[in-house]
């Protein structure tokens, strides 16, 4: 949960506001999507009011993830040659930008 708050406030907005492609945060994206799936699996066990609140939260998280990925894809598309050069120069141990 702390990672999710950090991602919302830091990674997502940094990626949106930065003119450059930042390091990927794939593990956070995976965690967010996994949490959405867990909440969706538990819908039948909750009351109708709680289901509505959970659905609203899931939509919000999915929007953030979609916007994050869309922003990254736009940057990669806009600066494709530079992004590929940067990826080729990096060693195998570093975090990939193009994920």
């Amino acid at each position: 949960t702390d990672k999710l708050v950090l991602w919302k406030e830091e990674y997502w907005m940094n990626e949106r506001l930065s003119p450059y492609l930042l390091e990927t945060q794939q593990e956070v994206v995976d965690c967010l999507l996994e949490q959405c799936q867990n909440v969706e699996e538990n819908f039948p066990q909750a009351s109708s009011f709680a289901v509505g609140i959970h659905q609203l939260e899931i939509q919000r998280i999915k929007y953030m993830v979609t916007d994050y990925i869309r922003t990254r894809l736009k940057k990669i598309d806009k600066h494709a040659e530079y992004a590929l050069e940067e990826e080729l120069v990096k060693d195998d141990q570093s975090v990939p930008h193009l994920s």
Side-chain angles (χ1 to χ4, degrees), residues 3-86:
K3 266 188 164 182
L4 301 179
V5 172
L6 177 66
W7 188 81
K8 176 187 170 237
E9 294 175 1
E10 188 174 335
Y11 301 139
W12 180 45
M13 291 309 296
N14 284 347
E15 190 68 54
R16 291 195 73 208
L17 299 174
S18 172
Y20 306 106
L21 186 64
L22 303 177
E23 288 186 14
T24 184
Q25 300 298 325
Q26 190 62 41
E27 67 279 351
V28 178
V29 170
D30 292 341
C31 179
L32 281 165
L33 294 176
E34 182 179 323
Q35 185 177 34
C36 285
Q37 184 178 10
N38 290 339
V39 170
E40 286 175 329
E41 288 172 358
N42 293 325
F43 276 168
Q45 300 168 357
S47 69
S48 60
F49 177 75
V51 169
I53 298 295
H54 288 304
Q55 286 176 336
L56 185 62
E57 182 66 15
I58 286 173
Q59 289 173 355
R60 186 179 69 85
I61 291 170
K62 286 182 179 180
Y63 171 79
M64 288 179 3
V65 170
T66 302
D67 188 62
Y68 173 77
I69 293 170
R70 184 182 312 117
T71 301
R72 291 186 58 78
L73 288 173
K74 284 180 184 177
K75 289 179 184 181
I76 290 170
D77 189 43
K78 185 176 180 180
H79 306 289
E81 288 181 30
Y82 176 76
L84 287 172
E85 286 175 17
E86 285 292 310

